[in-house]
Amino acid sequence: MKVSYSKSFQKEYRKQSGKMQKSIANVVREVKEAKSVEELTDCKKLVGFNHMYRLRIGNLRVFFILRIDGDTISFEYLVSRGEAYSKRMEERLRGKDL
């Protein structure tokens, strides 16, 4: 699959420790090699959203959009578990899920 990254995702990635960055890089590699979303570990489609998915990496959550063509994934947000399920994050995700 093709992969793109939002500025928000890249900024949060740079803030992480070296060990966590390696974990995130491993997940991104897994996403690139996957043929479909069903092959990804700890990946769930968000209820009430059309194209938004969530990946779990320890205490972090990665939110991404699977584009309509089914071959492009856009990593949008990398947030802590506590922030991931807040109303504010839900509103941000709804704005991206077109």
Side-chain angles (χ1 to χ4, degrees), residues 7 16 35 49 71-72 85 90:
K7 286 184 181 182
Q16 302 303 315
K35 304 224 184 316
F49 290 86
D71 193 32
T72 305
Y85 304 110
E90 183 179 345

Side-chain angles (χ1 to χ4, degrees), residues 63-80:
F63 292 104
F64 67 89
I65 298 172
L66 180 63
R67 296 288 176 207
I68 296 168
D69 62 9
D71 193 32
T72 305
I73 288 184
S74 176
F75 287 100
E76 295 297 329
Y77 298 106
L78 175 66
V79 294
S80 68

Side-chain angles (χ1 to χ4, degrees), residues 29-97:
R29 190 175 314 108
E30 180 185 351
V31 168
K32 286 180 179 180
E33 293 171 358
K35 304 224 184 316
S36 69
V37 176
E38 289 79 26
E39 293 179 13
L40 301 175
T41 7
D42 288 328
C43 180
K44 295 191 180 199
K45 186 172 188 316
L46 296 182
V47 176
F49 290 86
N50 296 323
H51 309 288
M52 191 67 67
Y53 290 81
R54 186 256 316 147
L55 278 168
R56 185 174 68 87
I57 307 171
N59 277 344
L60 295 177
R61 300 298 181 263
V62 176
F63 292 104
F64 67 89
I65 298 172
L66 180 63
R67 296 288 176 207
I68 296 168
D69 62 9
D71 193 32
T72 305
I73 288 184
S74 176
F75 287 100
E76 295 297 329
Y77 298 106
L78 175 66
V79 294
S80 68
R81 185 179 144 260
E83 184 184 348
Y85 304 110
S86 68
K87 286 283 187 189
R88 182 173 166 230
M89 180 52 69
E90 183 179 345
E91 291 170 5
R92 291 168 73 186
L93 293 173
R94 291 227 180 267
K96 296 275 186 172
D97 188 44

